[in-house]
PDB file of all heavy atoms in Angstrom:
ATOM      1  N   MET D 140     -32.467  95.272 236.145  1.00  0.00           N
ATOM      2  CA  MET D 140     -33.774  95.500 236.749  1.00  0.00           C
ATOM      3  C   MET D 140     -33.593  95.920 238.194  1.00  0.00           C
ATOM      4  O   MET D 140     -32.477  95.919 238.716  1.00  0.00           O
ATOM      5  CB  MET D 140     -34.627  94.235 236.672  1.00  0.00           C
ATOM      6  CG  MET D 140     -34.071  93.074 237.495  1.00  0.00           C
ATOM      7  SD  MET D 140     -35.054  91.554 237.383  1.00  0.00           S
ATOM      8  CE  MET D 140     -36.490  91.959 238.359  1.00  0.00           C
ATOM      9  N   GLU D 141     -34.694  96.265 238.819  1.00  0.00           N
ATOM     10  CA  GLU D 141     -34.689  96.550 240.246  1.00  0.00           C
ATOM     11  C   GLU D 141     -35.727  95.664 240.923  1.00  0.00           C
ATOM     12  O   GLU D 141     -36.781  95.376 240.348  1.00  0.00           O
ATOM     13  CB  GLU D 141     -34.993  98.022 240.499  1.00  0.00           C
ATOM     14  CG  GLU D 141     -33.900  98.947 240.000  1.00  0.00           C
ATOM     15  CD  GLU D 141     -34.181 100.409 240.324  1.00  0.00           C
ATOM     16  OE1 GLU D 141     -35.105 100.699 241.110  1.00  0.00           O
ATOM     17  OE2 GLU D 141     -33.475 101.255 239.764  1.00  0.00           O
ATOM     18  N   VAL D 142     -35.393  95.227 242.131  1.00  0.00           N
ATOM     19  CA  VAL D 142     -36.279  94.398 242.929  1.00  0.00           C
ATOM     20  C   VAL D 142     -36.538  95.123 244.246  1.00  0.00           C
ATOM     21  O   VAL D 142     -35.589  95.599 244.886  1.00  0.00           O
ATOM     22  CB  VAL D 142     -35.646  93.009 243.206  1.00  0.00           C
ATOM     23  CG1 VAL D 142     -36.573  92.143 244.040  1.00  0.00           C
ATOM     24  CG2 VAL D 142     -35.303  92.305 241.912  1.00  0.00           C
ATOM     25  N   LEU D 143     -37.800  95.204 244.629  1.00  0.00           N
ATOM     26  CA  LEU D 143     -38.175  95.820 245.898  1.00  0.00           C
ATOM     27  C   LEU D 143     -38.160  94.739 246.977  1.00  0.00           C
ATOM     28  O   LEU D 143     -38.960  93.800 246.942  1.00  0.00           O
ATOM     29  CB  LEU D 143     -39.567  96.454 245.802  1.00  0.00           C
ATOM     30  CG  LEU D 143     -40.091  97.126 247.064  1.00  0.00           C
ATOM     31  CD1 LEU D 143     -39.233  98.331 247.433  1.00  0.00           C
ATOM     32  CD2 LEU D 143     -41.551  97.530 246.881  1.00  0.00           C
ATOM     33  N   VAL D 144     -37.219  94.849 247.899  1.00  0.00           N
ATOM     34  CA  VAL D 144     -37.067  93.886 248.987  1.00  0.00           C
ATOM     35  C   VAL D 144     -36.908  94.672 250.284  1.00  0.00           C
ATOM     36  O   VAL D 144     -36.087  95.600 250.358  1.00  0.00           O
ATOM     37  CB  VAL D 144     -35.831  92.976 248.766  1.00  0.00           C
ATOM     38  CG1 VAL D 144     -35.649  92.029 249.934  1.00  0.00           C
ATOM     39  CG2 VAL D 144     -35.954  92.205 247.462  1.00  0.00           C
ATOM     40  N   ASP D 145     -37.683  94.325 251.284  1.00  0.00           N
ATOM     41  CA  ASP D 145     -37.628  95.003 252.590  1.00  0.00           C
ATOM     42  C   ASP D 145     -37.753  96.520 252.442  1.00  0.00           C
ATOM     43  O   ASP D 145     -37.044  97.284 253.098  1.00  0.00           O
ATOM     44  CB  ASP D 145     -36.340  94.638 253.330  1.00  0.00           C
ATOM     45  CG  ASP D 145     -36.280  93.158 253.685  1.00  0.00           C
ATOM     46  OD1 ASP D 145     -37.344  92.563 253.942  1.00  0.00           O
ATOM     47  OD2 ASP D 145     -35.170  92.600 253.694  1.00  0.00           O
ATOM     48  N   GLY D 146     -38.628  96.945 251.538  1.00  0.00           N
ATOM     49  CA  GLY D 146     -38.913  98.365 251.379  1.00  0.00           C
ATOM     50  C   GLY D 146     -37.890  99.163 250.595  1.00  0.00           C
ATOM     51  O   GLY D 146     -38.015 100.380 250.475  1.00  0.00           O
ATOM     52  N   GLN D 147     -36.870  98.507 250.046  1.00  0.00           N
ATOM     53  CA  GLN D 147     -35.813  99.197 249.300  1.00  0.00           C
ATOM     54  C   GLN D 147     -35.690  98.618 247.892  1.00  0.00           C
ATOM     55  O   GLN D 147     -35.674  97.397 247.712  1.00  0.00           O
ATOM     56  CB  GLN D 147     -34.457  99.024 250.007  1.00  0.00           C
ATOM     57  CG  GLN D 147     -34.386  99.611 251.387  1.00  0.00           C
ATOM     58  CD  GLN D 147     -34.295 101.130 251.350  1.00  0.00           C
ATOM     59  OE1 GLN D 147     -33.701 101.695 250.451  1.00  0.00           O
ATOM     60  NE2 GLN D 147     -34.893 101.784 252.331  1.00  0.00           N
ATOM     61  N   TRP D 148     -35.580  99.499 246.887  1.00  0.00           N
ATOM     62  CA  TRP D 148     -35.316  99.043 245.527  1.00  0.00           C
ATOM     63  C   TRP D 148     -33.825  98.731 245.401  1.00  0.00           C
ATOM     64  O   TRP D 148     -32.990  99.565 245.721  1.00  0.00           O
ATOM     65  CB  TRP D 148     -35.711 100.113 244.511  1.00  0.00           C
ATOM     66  CG  TRP D 148     -37.196 100.230 244.336  1.00  0.00           C
ATOM     67  CD1 TRP D 148     -38.009 101.206 244.846  1.00  0.00           C
ATOM     68  CD2 TRP D 148     -38.048  99.341 243.616  1.00  0.00           C
ATOM     69  NE1 TRP D 148     -39.315 100.977 244.478  1.00  0.00           N
ATOM     70  CE2 TRP D 148     -39.368  99.832 243.722  1.00  0.00           C
ATOM     71  CE3 TRP D 148     -37.828  98.166 242.885  1.00  0.00           C
ATOM     72  CZ2 TRP D 148     -40.453  99.193 243.126  1.00  0.00           C
ATOM     73  CZ3 TRP D 148     -38.923  97.529 242.295  1.00  0.00           C
ATOM     74  CH2 TRP D 148     -40.211  98.050 242.417  1.00  0.00           C
TER      75      TRP D 148
END
Side-chain angles (χ1 to χ4, degrees):
M140 65 181 287
E141 293 183 11
V142 180
L143 180 65
V144 177
D145 295 328
Q147 298 286 326
W148 286 104

